[in-house]
Amino acid sequence: MSDPRWSAVDDYIVGKLIGEDRALEAALENSRQAGLPPIDVSLAQGKLLQLLARAVAAKRILEIGTLGGYSAIALARALGDDGVLVTLELEPEYAAVARANVDHAGVGHRVDIRIGPACDTLAEMCSDGETAFDFVFIDADKDNYPAYLDYAIQLSRPGTMLVFDNVVREGEVINPQSSDPKVAGTRALYDALKDNPKIDATAIQTVGSKKWDGFLLALVQ
């Protein structure tokens, strides 16, 4: 389901409020040439993530799901030179593309890319006593969203903002009969958050160049 006006409005927003971004355009083209799936956030969504991270004065950001580094660039721009973005990626080939992209964008010195299954990396980070993060963006395999929530809470402090992407899935999130594991994982995330005393959360639907979806935003109590 889509409407051409959704993308047209995205273009209007970008033209009025954001403008051309050659580093991000180069990242998309580099990712395309490397054969990565075109599932990055949009330019307007990336700017939203950047503003949210700035709003909580983030100095340490955790990203689960690097892909080609598009959102990593946006988030790293929210950090000062003493800040760090730790981003987790399963595929070494994707991580190599992301490294080239963040370096080209001039933020590579702030970006720590860790390769491997995210749950394994997160478990190791927890056991090693990793310093708490101020902002966490989760945009990875949806069937593991409940596990990522648990790890994100462990790696957070009171006031840390958590943002989950793709939580509406063109309305399928309300379909309990869906056979799509991405829908099941997203529904399990909502169930894990319902009446959760550690989290204050909401979700908002979005339409645009990325069709009909949404973000879930939460603060750790």
Side-chain angles (χ1 to χ4, degrees):
M1 179 178 180
S2 185
D3 183 321
R5 292 175 296 179
W6 298 351
S7 291
V9 172
D10 262 7
D11 292 342
Y12 178 84
I13 291 168
V14 168
K16 292 292 186 179
L17 302 179
I18 303 174
E20 182 181 21
D21 193 313
R22 293 184 179 178
L24 287 175
E25 289 173 3
L28 285 181
E29 178 60 20
N30 193 24
S31 296
R32 186 191 67 78
Q33 291 185 8
L36 274 62
I39 55 175
D40 313 84
V41 298
S42 71
L43 181 55
Q45 290 170 344
K47 187 60 178 286
L48 171 65
L49 293 172
Q50 183 185 135
L51 292 176
L52 290 172
R54 286 175 58 192
V56 299
K59 293 186 176 181
R60 287 179 53 80
I61 298 175
L62 171 63
E63 177 183 51
I64 304 175
T66 313
L67 194 62
Y70 188 91
S71 53
I73 294 169
L75 288 168
R77 287 172 171 174
L79 297 165
D81 284 336
D82 60 341
V84 63
L85 166 68
V86 176
T87 181
L88 312 184
E89 175 53 51
L90 173 64
E91 303 293 344
E93 297 84 0
Y94 293 6
V97 173
R99 172 49 63 191
N101 285 336
V102 298
D103 287 347
H104 179 265
V107 295
H109 60 291
R110 302 175 193 160
V111 180
D112 176 2
I113 302 175
R114 303 184 188 181
I115 303 170
C119 282
D120 293 349
T121 305
L122 291 163
E124 182 178 352
M125 292 166 67
C126 290
S127 65
D128 288 348
E130 182 103 16
T131 302
F133 293 92
D134 308 303
F135 188 94
V136 183
F137 177 51
I138 301 98
D139 186 12
D141 49 316
K142 314 311 173 194
D143 48 335
N144 273 322
Y145 265 15
Y148 295 152
L149 170 65
D150 182 60
Y151 285 121
I153 293 171
Q154 293 182 61
L155 290 164
S156 295
R157 56 166 181 77
T160 294
M161 178 173 285
L162 314 180
V163 180
F164 287 81
D165 197 8
N166 308 125
V167 298
V168 173
R169 313 210 62 81
E170 299 195 353
E172 276 298 291
V173 71
I174 64 172
N175 180 9
Q177 279 77 46
S178 175
S179 60
D180 186 343
K182 296 178 181 179
V183 173
T186 304
R187 287 175 58 85
L189 170 66
Y190 280 97
D191 289 341
L193 286 166
K194 187 176 186 296
D195 300 322
N196 189 324
K198 297 179 180 179
I199 295 288
D200 192 11
T202 190
I204 186 166
Q205 301 182 76
T206 60
V207 296
S209 59
K210 297 299 178 177
K211 300 183 180 180
W212 176 22
D213 215 321
F215 289 103
L216 189 150
L217 293 86
L219 285 178
V220 177
Q221 302 281 56

